[in-house]
Structure formats: structure tokens, C-alpha cells
């Protein structure tokens, strides 16, 4: 599946973990199913739907991560058309290895509560602070360090998706995997 919807121009986000879930799920392409990745500490839940962008790869080899602003949770496996509004660029350190692990931020195309959000500048700074805190503490509880490098708008986010698409194509070519339209 491509990263972008050709007709609408929206970004495709495949939800791994729904808003309000204390269980982190991860899609396993080889099995065609979601598995439990881990359980969050008591009192901790995902603040919004969290997922990945198909046909992209990040520095860690996984698809690019995306958080979807939407007033209600969806479900694992739900494909959400998203208007990309920005990115929290970040570094994550685990087991002595530091990699970029950015968090794309988008608004579900059908959202009424966030319909006027076009950029991170339109998101209340307190909410962005809380999202950053969630990712920092979520990773800390798993023995990893997560440091936000900066908040950037839709143009920077789109360029990261384009780079992720290029990396995905290179990895697919090396492994002999053909892309599906």
C-alpha cells in the first residue's frame, strides 16, 4: 500500500494502538496480524491513535511512526486518511545505540474537533508538551531514552515521509521484495 492516497493527497496511517489503550500492539507483516508488543505501566495509556505509514522505513528499519489527532479511538488495523500537520523529531537511545525515531503528527481527515488544525502551530502548546512527555516517559519505562530535538511543520514532515519512502524502496530492492500498488 502506498504512503499517500493518490485521490485525496492524504497520508495513510495504519493504526497499531488505539487511543486509550494500555497495550502496545505491533503489526507483523510476515504473519499478517498484530501482536502484543508490551503492556504499559498502570495508569498509562496512549493519548491518541498511534500507528505507522505503509511503504516507508525509518532509521530503525520499522515504518515511520505517526500519531493521529482524532476525538475518538479507532482500532488496531484501521487505515486512517490523515492530513499531515507536523513532526516531533527525536532521538531514541536503547542498549547503547542512538537512532532517530521521529513522531509524525497528523489529523484524521474525518475529525471535527481538529478540522482547523493545519500545522503544529495550531495545536495548543500544552498538548504538544503532554505528547512529548508521554513519549519520553513511555520510553523511560522501557529502559530507553527519548529526546525531542524539535517541533516542525507539515513541509518538514512531508520531506521525512518522502525520505522514508525512498529508504523503503532501497530496502525492498536489496531484499528482492516487490512493491504492491
Amino acid at each position: 500500500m502506498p504512503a499517500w492516497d493518490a485521490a485525496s493527497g492524504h497520508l495513510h496511517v495504519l493504526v497499531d494502538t488505539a487511543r486509550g489503550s494500555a497495550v502496545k500492539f505491533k503489526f507483523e507483516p510476515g504473519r499478517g496480524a498484530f501482536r502484543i508488543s508490551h503492556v504499559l505501566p498502570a495508569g498509562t495509556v496512549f493519548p491518541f491513535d498511534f500507528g505507522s505509514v505503509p511503504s516507508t522505513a525509518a532509521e530503525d528499519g520499522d515504518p515511520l511512526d505517526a500519531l493521529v489527532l482524532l476525538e475518538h479511538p479507532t482500532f488496531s488495523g484501521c487505515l486512517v486518511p490523515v492530513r499531515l500537520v507536523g513532526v516531533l523529531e527525536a532521538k531514541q537511545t536503547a542498549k547503547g545505540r542512538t537512532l532517530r525515531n521521529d513522531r509524525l503528527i497528523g489529523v484524521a481527515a474525518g475529525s471535527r474537533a481538529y478540522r482547523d488544525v493545519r500545522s503544529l502551530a495550531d495545536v495548543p502548546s500544552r498538548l504538544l508538551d503532554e505528547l512529548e512527555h508521554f513519549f519520553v516517559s513511555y520510553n523511560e519505562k522501557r529502559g530507553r531514552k527519548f529526546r525531542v530535538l524539535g517541533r516542525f511543520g507539515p513541509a518538514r514532515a512531508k520531506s521525512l515521509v518522502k525520505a522514508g519512502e525512498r529508504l523503503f524502496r532501497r530496502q525492498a530492492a536489496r531484499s528482492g521484495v516487490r512493491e504492491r500498488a
Side-chain angles (χ1 to χ4, degrees), residues 15 17-21 46-50 67-76 78 80-82 106-115:
V15 174
T17 305
R19 175 185 186 150
S21 178
F46 274 80
F48 290 95
D49 284 358
F50 185 74
L67 190 76
V68 180
L69 301 180
L70 178 62
E71 52 272 33
H72 304 289
T74 62
F75 54 89
S76 294
C78 184
V80 181
V82 167
V107 171
S111 174
R112 290 195 288 266
Y114 298 97
R115 69 175 164 249

Side-chain angles (χ1 to χ4, degrees), residues 75-116:
F75 54 89
S76 294
C78 184
L79 183 64
V80 181
V82 167
R83 182 176 61 256
L84 195 57
V85 298
V87 61
L88 299 177
E89 290 188 5
K91 285 190 176 185
Q92 181 176 299
T93 303
K95 299 178 184 173
R97 187 171 170 218
T98 300
L99 298 171
R100 284 287 294 274
N101 202 351
D102 304 326
R103 301 294 192 249
L104 297 167
I105 308 290
V107 171
S111 174
R112 290 195 288 266
Y114 298 97
R115 69 175 164 249
D116 295 329

Side-chain angles (χ1 to χ4, degrees), residues 14-16 24-35 52 77:
L14 182 64
V15 174
D16 293 334
K24 170 68 171 86
F25 296 95
K26 185 170 184 169
F27 184 69
E28 289 192 357
R31 293 184 176 172
F34 288 86
R35 71 169 170 80
S52 57

